[in-house]
Amino acid sequence: MGRHSCCYKQKLRKGLWSPEEDEKLIKHITKFGHGCWSSVPKLAGLERCGKSCRLRWINYLRPDLKRGTFSQQEEKLIIELHAVLGNKWSQIAAQLPGRTDNEIKNLWNSSIKKKLRQRGIDPNTHKPLSEVNDDRKDPSSNEKNSQGSYLDEKTEPAAAAMASSYPLIDNSPPATHEFFLNRFVTTHETATKQPDSHHLSRFLPFSYTQQTPPPAPPPESADLFFNTDSKSSPELIPEYTSSISNPLLSAPPRTTANFHQNNWGSGNNGSNNGFFQTNSGYHPWGLTDCTKTQNSVNGGVEGEQDYIKWNDQFLQVPFLMGKSSIESKPEVNFGNHELYHGHQSVDTYNKHFQRISTSYGHFS
DNA sequence: AATCGTAGCAACCGCAGCTCA
DNA sequence: CTGAGCTGCGGTTGCTACGAT
């Protein structure tokens, strides 16, 4: 098990990224894609490790990030997904377009967890705290397994594996029906009544949600959390609905190769409206492998083509179009960086806008 | 005005898993 | 088969802003 080489390079910079560093990274990835992350800092002229560059890009600089405060629907979905997946933040994030695992993890730890506890729900088990306390007395009570889920890998190996890898759309029923039926009884009902509901039944195999009628449902933690009633289910924001109703969940297992296609090439929802896709196909942000990257970086034809396509597309991104776009739609823009929402003051907003302008000004 | 506690968030760390020579 | 190199993930830390006292 090799440790990342950056761990041994002491002279590399750490800590917060400067606007200049951001600019270098954006410029580089815009032009060449990231290729091998380990080679990015060298090629981009950064004194950072590749790991740090990757993290910075994924969590902060990537233009398809939504940013902004989480909607109630998003929070509810996070809770529901957490009930199934446990702390699988990346899998949860995969169902929330424009959100990063880090962002969701932070939200969970700083906000949702506390709110659930205040409402008498154990954030780990999603059961009422009183039940959890009872469970603790029972030695057979469930603990998280190695996958961070609550399934017993010995007695329910198939279900545990399912919850872990979460093959969301699958025509073959899972081995342990009871698990999901019990978990999603409310889900089933809600989805049946409300075709546009974002409830988790949409994430389950079709054959599953259409099978056995569920018994009387206990309230889900997410429902307790939001105190929803079936008559006044909250409206979904359009982009959210489209992403969720879309069978993005039928995507093949996330490999390095298909990750970019699934998550970047098509706007993370399987449709063709992602700005990473053009008529001519997917953009090559990270698609080039290490060997090809070097060729591209060296100014080969392939690299130039990438550059042209990339810049054309990049210039259409609102957050690179100048101050007005950011000011006019602070909650919608790709460039809606974390500092443009919530409790941040106007001063902070302006300060960070200047920062972003500095970083991106050369594009506009 | 100063201090303290808290919330939110960016970034780091260490590990696991995958690929490939 | 083995180990190095790399990516990705989840847990944790540390910084900053903000509100309460």
Side-chain angles (χ1 to χ4, degrees), chain A residues 32 41 48 78 96 110 136-137 156 179 225 257 320 346 348:
Chain A
F32 305 113
R48 296 271 181 177
I78 290 168
L96 290 152
S110 67
R136 283 194 184 133
K137 296 170 192 168
E156 297 178 295
F179 168 72
F225 182 72
L320 294 174
V346 174
T348 311

Side-chain angles (χ1 to χ4, degrees), chain A residues 147-159:
Chain A
Q147 300 295 329
S149 180
Y150 302 100
L151 293 166
D152 186 332
E153 288 166 325
K154 290 175 184 170
T155 58
E156 297 178 295

Side-chain angles (χ1 to χ4, degrees), chain A residues 308-333:
Chain A
I308 293 164
K309 278 193 292 187
W310 241 96
N311 264 4
D312 284 347
Q313 199 66 22
F314 222 71
L315 289 169
Q316 295 171 25
V317 179
F319 88 102
L320 294 174
M321 298 185 114
K323 189 174 179 178
S324 59
S325 65
I326 292 176
E327 285 181 336
S328 60
K329 292 183 176 179
E331 292 296 320
V332 179
N333 268 298

Side-chain angles (χ1 to χ4, degrees), chain A residues 131-151:
Chain A
E131 266 188 53
V132 175
N133 291 335
D134 290 343
D135 285 349
R136 283 194 184 133
K137 296 170 192 168
D138 177 6
S140 65
S141 65
N142 289 335
E143 294 285 337
K144 274 194 196 178
N145 62 23
S146 61
Q147 300 295 329
S149 180
Y150 302 100
L151 293 166

Side-chain angles (χ1 to χ4, degrees), chain A residues 41-68:
Chain A
K42 189 182 172 185
L43 296 169
L46 291 163
E47 291 179 354
R48 296 271 181 177
C49 68
K51 200 171 178 177
S52 182
C53 292
R54 175 185 161 270
L55 209 63
R56 182 64 178 171
W57 177 257
I58 289 173
N59 287 335
Y60 193 89
L61 299 175
R62 220 176 61 191
D64 59 333
L65 291 177
K66 188 189 285 180
R67 316 305 303 192

